[in-house]
Amino acid sequence: MQSTNIKRKKRLRNILFISFMICFLLIVRVGTIQFIQGSELQAMAYSQQTLNRKINPKRGTIYDSTGKNILAVSASVETISVTPNNIKEEDKEKVARAMSDIFELDYETVLKKVNKNSSIETIVKKVEKEDADKLRIWMKENNIITGINIDEDTKRYYPYATLASHIIGFTGSDNQGLEGIESRYDDILKGSTGKILKLTDATGTDLGEEGEDYISAVDGNDLILSIDMTIQSIAEKYLKEACIDNKCTDGGNIIITNPKTGDILAMAGYPNYDLNNPYQINTDELSYVWDSLSSSEKSTELQQMWRNKAISDTYEPGSVFKLVTASTALEEGLTDTDNQGEFSCTGSINIAGTRIKCWRYYRPHGSQSLRQALMNSCNPVFIGLRSKNRSREIL
Ligand SMILES: [Zn+2]
């Protein structure tokens, strides 16, 4: 009798001990979840329960120096996405068919996205409002009110297409600046993105109106360049003519500055490219061989096409510097513009034992005034001008 009592007591103690251990382990587990993994799990739950759709801000406009001519502007377009779990199973094929018809997309690809088990799938970016309206009408007619999102977006347009292309640059599919001013001043132009936050359950299904939160986008700032559109177009027109006439295979550049302020009024590069289609090749030679190039060669060629050579490449000024020598000589009163026969070109000149040739050594320029020497870009005359200054220093 007594031994059964002892046995029962022993069993009770064991059960008590096991229960205590289980309780203890559970408390430890709860503590870990609450205090150690708490914030991480909360963030995971938040991202699962909220459906985050972006509202893109309107990017700032780029104007020329007059403040009137628009060089780059953003227009409103729309981006279409779906929340697959909010589309009824029996409607899925119908939705995919309608979307592929309206936006001219591949049906199978759209269907795959509509059937995906994810909270949001982008169907097509940057569509015109009239196409998005077709979808709105279709949704109404077919009584489909959830699962399809039509969100405001913007698209960049360059009204003058190729004008000042190397200066302005262009943007990518997420409206981010990729080249030129668009890239350099991206922070000023881009603005800040807004959000539509929706509370959903674990499958991405809406939890009703009260869970919706709308944070509006802040538009970007405008930019006014020192470039004057009229001067820029004249520079581009004559640069193109000169490059074609003189068969400049490397292209050419012109920079026009305001001598009083140093402002750059025009910066032309040839060949330029179409800012509205920045991935389209700009020369015939290149488009013939384009398909045979590897992807890294293509990328190099595109970089080359977008490059603003006027400020990115080094160039030996050479004869351009004759302007500086001539201006200095005039300012110092060493010569005048039209002193007939003041200088003479014999095809070359000796400087410290080295013979420096005129570019037209085979038929020397002969008697020259400063104006003629500049027009002919005659080397011996300008070297002579320098020694004229030297002799004055010695006197
Ligand atoms: Zn000469």
Side-chain angles (χ1 to χ4, degrees), residues 345-347 358-361 363-366 368 376-381:
C345 166
T346 56
C358 180
W359 67 271
R360 216 179 71 175
Y361 61 92
R363 191 155 57 86
H365 289 112
Q368 299 276 285
N376 292 326
S377 192
C378 177
N379 292 340
V381 168

Side-chain angles (χ1 to χ4, degrees), residues 322-350:
K322 285 181 175 133
L323 285 176
V324 177
T325 317
S327 321
T328 316
L330 287 171
E331 192 170 293
E332 294 295 311
L334 291 179
T335 177
D336 214 333
T337 46
D338 297 294
N339 289 346
Q340 287 303 323
E342 187 182 7
F343 304 100
S344 168
C345 166
T346 56
S348 69
I349 189 168
N350 254 312

Side-chain angles (χ1 to χ4, degrees), residues 21 35 85 102-103 123 191 194 196 222 262 323 333 382:
M21 277 311 286
F35 299 108
N85 294 318
I102 296 171
F103 306 115
I123 300 293
I196 302 172
D222 296 342
L323 285 176
F382 282 89

